[in-house]
Amino acid sequence: MSASFRRKPESSAQSANQKLDTGFRRYDDQEASNYEYASADRTLMGIEQEKARALLDWYRAMGVDEAVGEEPFDSFAAASLRQAPRQAPELKMAVSPPRVAPRAAGATSTRRISAEVSTLLELQELVARFEGCSLRRTAKSLCFARGSEQARIMMIGEAPGRDEDLQGKPFVGRAGQLLDRMLAAIGLSESQVYITNTVYWRPPGNRTPTPEEIEACAPFLARQIELLSPRVLVLLGGAAAKTILGVSEGIMRLRGKWLNYPCAGRDLPALATLHPAYLLREPERKRLAWHDLLMLKAALAAETTSQKPETGI
């Protein structure tokens, strides 16, 4: 029995081919659409990643270096809720005392307490318990000092940074490492100097300390200088020089000459120089700092040989 085959009409074959072409075109269109959607998704993901990266950079600049919860918390909203009940009464009973008065009283009390401590260790313990400086609430560690308590040289900077906050010691980051190399260049090491700052806690985001924060720590620092009783003060940067000496001139006018700091009935020789962090940003200024260091070295050498230096050390 023989099989019979019949060829489809030409029109029927063309119709089948058209269906196949239409199907392929639909498939291609769908694939193209899927590709466009995927590309759009990747673009959106890239934008979101850039936003997230920018947000993390902003957090880092503001001093945020630790996550404290799994869910976001709106502190501003919470603060407004806490303040709402207090705003309603609007206490207008009598003439309220100015806000400056409590700070002045607190500063006077701190000076009196600071004068009562007789050792640097007692002073450090007192500072660790002190709650009158707002920086304590945002910092991880107290950065009281590093170096030798028998040092002839006391160095004072502006404020601790991130590395200092983590280690609990002043000048241990990049600026501190440069300072150590500068001291080594004139034959000094950490065991021969005593280093601290005008404030003992890191300001958020490494910002400049406010006058109120500096004022809160000033009595402790004054007592710290008295207890150490160094032969020379080295003031690192314009902020420290202005705070310690009570002057308004910039560091370029103050550096390169011997100044005086009244301490316990005597004038303590003080030398202002450029801050190591500034030298990291402006390395061409290192020659000026080197000149200041040579002045310090000459003064120490003159004292060692019992010759009266020009500084009066």
Side-chain angles (χ1 to χ4, degrees), residues 104-124:
T108 303
S109 174
T110 305
R111 289 190 180 94
R112 185 179 65 252
I113 295 174
S114 298
E116 293 175 357
V117 300
S118 57
T119 67
L120 288 168
L121 179 59
E122 291 176 357
L123 182 63
Q124 181 174 354

Side-chain angles (χ1 to χ4, degrees), residues 229-304:
S229 189
R231 302 295 294 171
V232 183
L233 274 182
V234 179
L235 309 176
L236 303 171
K242 292 178 182 179
T243 298
I244 300 301
L245 301 176
V247 296
S248 58
E249 290 87 351
I251 187 61
M252 291 302 178
R253 289 183 176 272
L254 294 173
R255 59 151 298 275
K257 56 187 176 184
W258 288 102
L259 306 164
N260 290 321
Y261 170 77
C263 176
R266 70 185 179 99
D267 285 336
L268 188 62
L271 179 66
T273 189
L274 302 175
H275 196 287
Y278 174 76
L279 297 177
L280 289 174
R281 299 190 301 268
E282 303 287 342
E284 66 276 5
R285 302 286 188 176
K286 289 182 179 180
R287 59 184 180 83
L288 301 178
W290 177 242
H291 176 270
D292 300 336
L293 289 175
L294 292 179
M295 290 178 60
L296 175 62
K297 181 179 181 180
L300 296 173
E303 184 192 25
T304 302

Side-chain angles (χ1 to χ4, degrees), residues 113-127 129 144 149-150 194 220 223-229:
I113 295 174
S114 298
E116 293 175 357
V117 300
S118 57
T119 67
L120 288 168
L121 179 59
E122 291 176 357
L123 182 63
Q124 181 174 354
E125 293 172 350
L126 183 63
V127 173
R129 298 192 302 269
F144 186 71
E149 295 185 1
Q150 287 75 43
Y194 184 89
F220 298 103
R223 184 57 177 158
Q224 194 173 8
I225 297 173
E226 291 178 359
L227 291 174
L228 184 68
S229 189

Side-chain angles (χ1 to χ4, degrees), residues 46-274:
I47 294 174
E48 294 301 324
Q49 289 177 356
E50 290 179 2
K51 290 182 179 179
R53 191 175 296 109
L55 180 61
L56 290 175
D57 292 339
W58 182 81
Y59 281 153
R60 190 179 299 110
M62 292 298 102
V64 178
D65 48 21
E66 182 180 3
V68 294
E70 296 293 335
E71 298 295 332
F73 178 75
D74 191 345
S75 301
F76 296 102
S80 63
L81 291 176
R82 287 195 302 268
Q83 292 174 1
R86 282 185 286 179
Q87 291 175 355
E90 196 73 29
L91 297 176
K92 294 182 179 179
M93 299 169 28
V95 179
S96 348
R99 287 192 162 190
V100 179
R103 286 203 298 266
T108 303
S109 174
T110 305
R111 289 190 180 94
R112 185 179 65 252
I113 295 174
S114 298
E116 293 175 357
V117 300
S118 57
T119 67
L120 288 168
L121 179 59
E122 291 176 357
L123 182 63
Q124 181 174 354
E125 293 172 350
L126 183 63
V127 173
R129 298 192 302 269
F130 180 62
E131 297 183 356
C133 181
S134 60
L135 294 177
R136 171 180 175 156
R137 295 192 288 271
T138 56
K140 289 179 177 291
S141 308
L142 166 68
C143 301
F144 186 71
R146 77 173 173 101
S148 171
E149 295 185 1
Q150 287 75 43
R152 294 185 297 166
I153 307 167
M154 183 175 187
M155 315 190 84
I156 304 175
E158 181 182 22
R162 181 179 183 275
D163 293 323
E164 288 75 16
D165 190 31
L166 293 174
Q167 299 188 37
K169 292 182 180 181
F171 282 92
V172 293
R174 291 183 60 218
Q177 294 167 10
L178 176 58
L179 178 61
D180 290 341
R181 294 196 297 270
M182 292 165 61
L183 293 174
I186 59 171
L188 297 175
S189 64
E190 182 179 350
S191 63
Q192 296 170 289
V193 296
Y194 184 89
I195 308 173
T196 189
N197 283 298
T198 59
V199 296
Y200 299 106
W201 295 274
R202 175 200 180 192
N206 291 346
R207 63 164 172 76
T208 301
T210 65
E212 292 79 12
E213 292 161 351
I214 295 174
E215 181 185 358
C217 297
F220 298 103
L221 181 58
R223 184 57 177 158
Q224 194 173 8
I225 297 173
E226 291 178 359
L227 291 174
L228 184 68
S229 189
R231 302 295 294 171
V232 183
L233 274 182
V234 179
L235 309 176
L236 303 171
K242 292 178 182 179
T243 298
I244 300 301
L245 301 176
V247 296
S248 58
E249 290 87 351
I251 187 61
M252 291 302 178
R253 289 183 176 272
L254 294 173
R255 59 151 298 275
K257 56 187 176 184
W258 288 102
L259 306 164
N260 290 321
Y261 170 77
C263 176
R266 70 185 179 99
D267 285 336
L268 188 62
L271 179 66
T273 189
L274 302 175

